[in-house]
Amino acid sequence: MIGNYRDALGEALVRVGSEVEDLVVVTADVSKSTQSIRFQQRYPARFVSVGIAEQNAVGVAAGIASFGLPVIFTAYAMFATERPYEQIRNMVAYPRLNVKVIATHGGINVGEDGVTHQAVEDIAIMRAIPGMAVAAVADPGEVTAAVRAVVRNKGPAYLRIPRAASEILHRESEVTFALGKAETLRAGQDVTLIGIGMMVWECLQAAERLSAEGIQARVLNMRTVKPLDAQALLAAATETGAIVTAEDHNCCGGLGGAVAEYLVAHCPIPMEQVALRDTFARSGEAGALLAAFGLTADEIRAKARVVVERKGNMRIGSIC
């Protein structure tokens, strides 16, 4: 079944707004595109739109949060993180205010809007800010639980949501989403496929194809790039001995970078990344772009074969 992320976000904001009665939503002239308009319609006194002025929006969000209120700032990922980076760093993260940046349109799945709207550096940028939690949803079924989790977590956080519609992996009522906790979607002992966002579905498809070849792949939905689930990552490394990460993001500083940093310090095993190879994309239909830049189940499967071959006769237990 296919679901729409932005519709899920609109519903999530309304639901969480009913649970957290002092929650305020701030946006920058994209309330229809992000569906935060639903929050405005239900709770107009707790909604602020500043127009096309993202830096000002972060300042407004920080000001409101300084009075002790939880605040969501929502916009496209490119304009929610990269245009107001200085304001997020200095006005939100430095004083550790309770502002949550919840962004849609993350990655090249934005499609026809082109490079100017395709945020492929946002995870790296936000992950580098001290004290900033960084999370991503794998499907529309996770959105409400993810919004609830970041709102209830004290301090600054970034939640990344794609644009394109995708397969629904989770029944909304059954999702438990906690920062710093990965989700195991499939067991396996030969290799671990770790995905975030829409690439989690591609990891599952790759695992199915690998199974037909006799390779049993574990699949993790990492959910939180910062903090990483170190326990799940170490278990994957020691028990499968090979890892492939997959993300709709540049190869520098995102999920792959975070996993590599952990592995090199704790369990240096064979690892490969499926991500943009330090390049911009282009305008085009979302599915065609993902295929053109190798963000597919087939590419994950190919990388999995590589790491399985590389691990060979390595004695993983002796190095972890």
Side-chain angles (χ1 to χ4, degrees), residues 14-21 43 144 148 152:
V14 170
R15 291 187 184 180
V16 177
S18 70
E19 300 165 3
V20 183
E21 295 183 353
Y43 312 111
T144 294
R148 185 178 290 119
R152 291 182 175 176

PDB file of all heavy atoms in Angstrom, residues 14-21 43 144 148 152:
ATOM      1  N   VAL A  14      -1.774  17.620  14.114  1.00  0.00           N
ATOM      2  CA  VAL A  14      -3.059  17.797  14.791  1.00  0.00           C
ATOM      3  C   VAL A  14      -3.140  16.886  16.020  1.00  0.00           C
ATOM      4  O   VAL A  14      -3.547  17.318  17.105  1.00  0.00           O
ATOM      5  CB  VAL A  14      -4.227  17.526  13.827  1.00  0.00           C
ATOM      6  CG1 VAL A  14      -5.553  17.476  14.579  1.00  0.00           C
ATOM      7  CG2 VAL A  14      -4.275  18.593  12.740  1.00  0.00           C
ATOM      8  N   ARG A  15      -2.760  15.644  15.854  1.00  0.00           N
ATOM      9  CA  ARG A  15      -2.850  14.693  16.973  1.00  0.00           C
ATOM     10  C   ARG A  15      -1.933  15.079  18.118  1.00  0.00           C
ATOM     11  O   ARG A  15      -2.344  15.086  19.286  1.00  0.00           O
ATOM     12  CB  ARG A  15      -2.506  13.281  16.486  1.00  0.00           C
ATOM     13  CG  ARG A  15      -3.541  12.675  15.564  1.00  0.00           C
ATOM     14  CD  ARG A  15      -3.199  11.230  15.281  1.00  0.00           C
ATOM     15  NE  ARG A  15      -4.125  10.646  14.316  1.00  0.00           N
ATOM     16  CZ  ARG A  15      -4.060   9.395  13.897  1.00  0.00           C
ATOM     17  NH1 ARG A  15      -3.106   8.597  14.351  1.00  0.00           N
ATOM     18  NH2 ARG A  15      -4.932   8.943  13.024  1.00  0.00           N
ATOM     19  N   VAL A  16      -0.685  15.377  17.784  1.00  0.00           N
ATOM     20  CA  VAL A  16       0.257  15.737  18.844  1.00  0.00           C
ATOM     21  C   VAL A  16      -0.131  17.081  19.460  1.00  0.00           C
ATOM     22  O   VAL A  16       0.049  17.297  20.668  1.00  0.00           O
ATOM     23  CB  VAL A  16       1.699  15.752  18.305  1.00  0.00           C
ATOM     24  CG1 VAL A  16       2.687  16.202  19.370  1.00  0.00           C
ATOM     25  CG2 VAL A  16       2.083  14.354  17.796  1.00  0.00           C
ATOM     26  N   GLY A  17      -0.713  17.970  18.655  1.00  0.00           N
ATOM     27  CA  GLY A  17      -1.201  19.240  19.198  1.00  0.00           C
ATOM     28  C   GLY A  17      -2.296  19.062  20.226  1.00  0.00           C
ATOM     29  O   GLY A  17      -2.435  19.861  21.154  1.00  0.00           O
ATOM     30  N   SER A  18      -3.098  17.996  20.087  1.00  0.00           N
ATOM     31  CA  SER A  18      -4.138  17.728  21.071  1.00  0.00           C
ATOM     32  C   SER A  18      -3.567  17.129  22.350  1.00  0.00           C
ATOM     33  O   SER A  18      -4.136  17.286  23.435  1.00  0.00           O
ATOM     34  CB  SER A  18      -5.194  16.774  20.488  1.00  0.00           C
ATOM     35  OG  SER A  18      -4.668  15.471  20.324  1.00  0.00           O
ATOM     36  N   GLU A  19      -2.419  16.472  22.236  1.00  0.00           N
ATOM     37  CA  GLU A  19      -1.772  15.846  23.391  1.00  0.00           C
ATOM     38  C   GLU A  19      -0.888  16.824  24.153  1.00  0.00           C
ATOM     39  O   GLU A  19      -0.758  16.723  25.381  1.00  0.00           O
ATOM     40  CB  GLU A  19      -0.910  14.667  22.920  1.00  0.00           C
ATOM     41  CG  GLU A  19      -1.687  13.572  22.203  1.00  0.00           C
ATOM     42  CD  GLU A  19      -0.789  12.618  21.435  1.00  0.00           C
ATOM     43  OE1 GLU A  19       0.442  12.771  21.505  1.00  0.00           O
ATOM     44  OE2 GLU A  19      -1.323  11.720  20.761  1.00  0.00           O
ATOM     45  N   VAL A  20      -0.270  17.748  23.427  1.00  0.00           N
ATOM     46  CA  VAL A  20       0.629  18.740  24.028  1.00  0.00           C
ATOM     47  C   VAL A  20      -0.030  20.104  23.836  1.00  0.00           C
ATOM     48  O   VAL A  20       0.113  20.745  22.792  1.00  0.00           O
ATOM     49  CB  VAL A  20       2.020  18.697  23.363  1.00  0.00           C
ATOM     50  CG1 VAL A  20       2.980  19.672  24.044  1.00  0.00           C
ATOM     51  CG2 VAL A  20       2.586  17.280  23.397  1.00  0.00           C
ATOM     52  N   GLU A  21      -0.755  20.532  24.836  1.00  0.00           N
ATOM     53  CA  GLU A  21      -1.675  21.655  24.654  1.00  0.00           C
ATOM     54  C   GLU A  21      -0.990  23.013  24.529  1.00  0.00           C
ATOM     55  O   GLU A  21      -1.637  23.997  24.152  1.00  0.00           O
ATOM     56  CB  GLU A  21      -2.686  21.679  25.808  1.00  0.00           C
ATOM     57  CG  GLU A  21      -3.589  20.447  25.802  1.00  0.00           C
ATOM     58  CD  GLU A  21      -4.637  20.479  26.899  1.00  0.00           C
ATOM     59  OE1 GLU A  21      -4.574  21.399  27.756  1.00  0.00           O
ATOM     60  OE2 GLU A  21      -5.510  19.597  26.900  1.00  0.00           O
ATOM     61  N   TYR A  43      -5.866  24.713  15.505  1.00  0.00           N
ATOM     62  CA  TYR A  43      -5.340  25.480  16.637  1.00  0.00           C
ATOM     63  C   TYR A  43      -4.763  26.813  16.142  1.00  0.00           C
ATOM     64  O   TYR A  43      -3.548  27.042  16.205  1.00  0.00           O
ATOM     65  CB  TYR A  43      -4.252  24.687  17.366  1.00  0.00           C
ATOM     66  CG  TYR A  43      -4.621  23.255  17.671  1.00  0.00           C
ATOM     67  CD1 TYR A  43      -3.994  22.201  17.021  1.00  0.00           C
ATOM     68  CD2 TYR A  43      -5.603  22.958  18.614  1.00  0.00           C
ATOM     69  CE1 TYR A  43      -4.334  20.885  17.291  1.00  0.00           C
ATOM     70  CE2 TYR A  43      -5.950  21.645  18.893  1.00  0.00           C
ATOM     71  CZ  TYR A  43      -5.313  20.620  18.228  1.00  0.00           C
ATOM     72  OH  TYR A  43      -5.658  19.316  18.490  1.00  0.00           O
ATOM     73  N   THR A 144       3.500   9.949  12.770  1.00  0.00           N
ATOM     74  CA  THR A 144       2.898  10.418  14.026  1.00  0.00           C
ATOM     75  C   THR A 144       3.764  10.040  15.213  1.00  0.00           C
ATOM     76  O   THR A 144       4.026  10.875  16.107  1.00  0.00           O
ATOM     77  CB  THR A 144       1.483   9.851  14.204  1.00  0.00           C
ATOM     78  OG1 THR A 144       0.633  10.402  13.185  1.00  0.00           O
ATOM     79  CG2 THR A 144       0.909  10.215  15.569  1.00  0.00           C
ATOM     80  N   ARG A 148       5.688  12.694  17.691  1.00  0.00           N
ATOM     81  CA  ARG A 148       5.445  12.588  19.134  1.00  0.00           C
ATOM     82  C   ARG A 148       6.764  12.415  19.901  1.00  0.00           C
ATOM     83  O   ARG A 148       6.988  13.045  20.941  1.00  0.00           O
ATOM     84  CB  ARG A 148       4.505  11.422  19.417  1.00  0.00           C
ATOM     85  CG  ARG A 148       4.081  11.290  20.872  1.00  0.00           C
ATOM     86  CD  ARG A 148       3.114  10.134  21.047  1.00  0.00           C
ATOM     87  NE  ARG A 148       1.814  10.404  20.454  1.00  0.00           N
ATOM     88  CZ  ARG A 148       1.268   9.678  19.469  1.00  0.00           C
ATOM     89  NH1 ARG A 148       1.913   8.630  18.964  1.00  0.00           N
ATOM     90  NH2 ARG A 148       0.077   9.993  19.000  1.00  0.00           N
ATOM     91  N   ARG A 152       8.298  15.225  22.560  1.00  0.00           N
ATOM     92  CA  ARG A 152       8.406  14.864  23.973  1.00  0.00           C
ATOM     93  C   ARG A 152       9.841  14.817  24.465  1.00  0.00           C
ATOM     94  O   ARG A 152      10.085  14.843  25.671  1.00  0.00           O
ATOM     95  CB  ARG A 152       7.703  13.530  24.208  1.00  0.00           C
ATOM     96  CG  ARG A 152       6.185  13.629  24.052  1.00  0.00           C
ATOM     97  CD  ARG A 152       5.491  12.320  24.322  1.00  0.00           C
ATOM     98  NE  ARG A 152       4.028  12.479  24.275  1.00  0.00           N
ATOM     99  CZ  ARG A 152       3.159  11.492  24.407  1.00  0.00           C
ATOM    100  NH1 ARG A 152       3.600  10.245  24.584  1.00  0.00           N
ATOM    101  NH2 ARG A 152       1.858  11.733  24.348  1.00  0.00           N
TER     102      ARG A 152
END
